[in-house]
Amino acid sequence: MKLKKQLQAVLEQHNNYDGILFQLTSPYALHQRLAPGSPYRPESFVAGVSSGYVEQCLQIAAELYGRLPFGKHLLVVYEDAYNEKNTNEIDFFESCLMASSKAETDIFQWKHRPVEGGFPTGQDVNNECHTCTRRMYAAKGIDTERLFREIILSDIGGQYALASKVFVVDVDSACIFHLYDDRGLTVYTPDETLFAYIGPEHDDVPGEEFLFSIGTEAFHWINGGDDPQDLCLHGITSVTIGAEVFSYPCAVSAAALRMLKTLTEDHQPTYCEQMLPCCGHSLCAKETLDEVTISGCENGIDWTVRHEGDQIRLITPSGRETLLNLSLYRKEICRFADGVEAFYQKSLPKRTGHDLDKNGYQAFWNEWHRRRKGWGMLPR
């Protein structure tokens, strides 16, 4: 399995990633959008795909690929993510490879990441396992004209379903080129200096959807079932910040309130007050019952949040910084918080055993609604 070992060595330079490639995250990634506008012809013409749109997409993708410092040591990967075994598609793909070796295959199980913005309250479909057949080829080059065109046409009337299946890897530089469909492409590299080959006219700033997002798996009470005495809601939460993804089985009730607080205030990593805390077992209310201190433990994941006018700067534990619009940051956090609150509303009313818990729980929701109020209602 020589090619499998080569791919593993490349992925070790990309955060030691070992999953399916279309879910790859890397320290440095360039997201390039392709042609603007609709891929289809105007209604006044014969229905079908606009050839001008396709040619524009092809030109941008081929030009950017040509600027990368790819040599003659290519590893080209075709991932059949759902084990569809489309032989005609595979034959076409192989015909686009120059002087390629016989494929090595690797069959493995994988799961989808939590859906961004999804806050399931029942069965978690993200736990479903899929079988992927990964085919790897050593090649001297690729026919970009034919291969890129069919990838671009994947979801707009092409012969093959090549979207998100093809990855071109330069083994020497560990740079990965992924044209996923007509919407765009991503270049992953372990060394940001490689972007100097691309040129300033290309869009080296990720679209907003790549900068910050929150996703969750199913929420639950710690003892299982609908426990009216459990005040603290839990669930695996994944937060994407730039090229990094932080996933943690946290106390989502405490996490959401802390994030709501950052809509107007800065946050520095604080002992036992993490953004993704392991727990939030103690609620200590102010006398005015409009604010609460949530005590947890030392476990969790934390980062810095800094307000800079209409923008937010996020600094992760690795020291990487991501700057994004406050409006995007606010939207994601409010959506996360609304999902948490909706779960509480659908659960049995809470019973507090003594005044300390009663006051703490009341102050929790008083502060929650005060911080959430005014940012507009979001669809649930």
Side-chain angles (χ1 to χ4, degrees):
M1 299 293 287
K2 178 182 176 182
L3 300 184
K4 179 179 178 180
K5 290 181 179 179
Q6 286 183 353
L7 182 59
Q8 288 173 337
V10 168
L11 294 179
E12 285 175 2
Q13 301 180 59
H14 294 267
N15 292 339
N16 289 310
Y17 186 76
D18 63 356
I20 196 162
L21 292 181
F22 73 70
Q23 294 187 153
L24 172 67
T25 60
S26 179
Y28 302 101
L30 178 145
H31 306 277
Q32 173 65 52
R33 290 180 286 271
L34 300 183
S38 170
Y40 302 106
R41 294 174 181 170
E43 292 182 1
S44 57
F45 296 92
V46 179
V49 176
S50 166
S51 59
Y53 173 86
V54 174
E55 292 306 317
Q56 269 193 293
C57 290
L58 179 59
Q59 180 180 351
I60 294 171
E63 180 187 345
L64 195 149
Y65 178 79
R67 293 193 179 192
L68 293 170
F70 281 14
K72 298 295 184 181
H73 194 187
L74 297 182
L75 176 60
V76 189
V77 181
Y78 170 93
E79 284 198 335
D80 187 359
Y82 300 99
N83 214 26
E84 297 166 326
K85 299 178 181 178
N86 187 325
T87 55
N88 289 336
E89 183 176 284
I90 294 170
D91 288 344
F92 167 78
F93 168 77
E94 291 180 341
S95 74
C96 296
L97 306 181
M98 301 176 183
S100 67
S101 63
K102 183 176 177 60
E104 287 184 10
T105 60
D106 181 24
I107 301 174
F108 59 94
Q109 301 291 309
W110 66 280
K111 295 180 181 180
H112 279 286
R113 285 207 186 104
V115 177
E116 294 181 3
F119 308 104
T121 58
Q123 182 180 4
D124 183 15
V125 297
N126 292 311
N127 279 330
E128 182 180 357
C129 282
H130 306 282
T131 299
C132 174
T133 300
R134 175 183 287 165
R135 302 171 68 87
M136 296 161 284
Y137 305 76
K140 298 296 183 182
I142 58 175
D143 185 341
T144 57
E145 171 75 22
R146 294 176 62 235
L147 181 58
F148 287 5
R149 185 184 300 278
E150 287 302 324
I151 294 174
I152 289 166
L153 287 168
S154 292
D155 289 333
I156 55 174
Q159 300 180 61
Y160 309 109
L162 287 168
S164 298
K165 287 185 177 179
V166 178
F167 301 81
V168 186
V169 182
D170 182 66
V171 176
D172 296 326
S173 67
C175 185
I176 302 173
F177 179 92
H178 176 42
L179 171 63
Y180 40 91
D181 57 28
D182 66 294
R183 294 168 297 173
L185 61 87
T186 305
V187 178
Y188 303 97
T189 170
D191 185 353
E192 65 178 336
T193 60
L194 285 177
F195 289 147
Y197 289 90
I198 294 172
E201 68 273 21
H202 286 286
D203 179 16
D204 60 354
V205 179
E208 284 192 342
E209 67 271 20
F210 295 102
L211 292 178
F212 180 75
S213 62
I214 305 171
T216 67
E217 296 187 17
F219 296 145
H220 61 88
W221 307 110
I222 199 67
N223 294 322
D226 194 349
D227 185 354
Q229 294 182 316
D230 188 351
L231 308 182
C232 185
L233 186 62
H234 287 75
I236 296 176
T237 301
S238 296
V239 179
T240 298
I241 301 176
E244 298 177 276
V245 179
F246 303 94
S247 186
Y248 195 73
C250 71
V252 294
S253 48
L257 182 57
R258 290 197 179 128
M259 291 187 190
L260 284 171
K261 189 173 182 178
T262 66
L263 295 182
T264 54
E265 302 177 19
D266 292 347
H267 172 81
Q268 294 291 333
T270 305
Y271 183 75
C272 294
E273 294 186 11
Q274 306 92 338
M275 297 295 284
L276 296 180
C278 170
C279 51
H281 49 71
S282 178
L283 302 174
C284 183
K286 280 190 174 182
E287 291 184 4
T288 53
L289 298 184
D290 63 348
E291 196 163 322
V292 66
T293 299
I294 304 175
S295 299
C297 67
E298 61 191 37
N299 299 317
I301 299 176
D302 212 354
W303 55 84
T304 297
V305 182
R306 187 182 302 158
H307 286 254
E308 298 181 4
D310 292 333
Q311 294 183 308
I312 290 286
R313 186 177 299 275
L314 304 178
I315 306 174
T316 65
S318 69
R320 296 193 180 97
E321 300 186 10
T322 297
L323 192 65
L324 64 147
N325 289 332
L326 176 58
S327 59
L328 168 67
Y329 184 72
R330 181 185 299 147
K331 177 182 176 181
E332 282 298 296
I333 288 177
C334 287
R335 184 161 53 181
F336 174 45
D338 289 353
V340 172
E341 183 174 4
F343 194 92
Y344 274 90
Q345 292 173 344
K346 293 177 182 178
S347 302
L348 293 173
K350 296 301 178 183
R351 298 199 301 264
T352 52
H354 46 73
D355 287 343
L356 184 63
D357 283 346
K358 180 179 179 180
N359 291 341
Y361 190 66
Q362 181 179 345
F364 173 86
W365 285 111
N366 286 343
E367 180 177 359
W368 180 293
H369 292 139
R370 173 171 60 83
R371 295 189 180 280
R372 175 66 180 86
K373 184 179 179 181
W375 301 125
M377 298 303 295
L378 296 170
R380 295 178 179 174

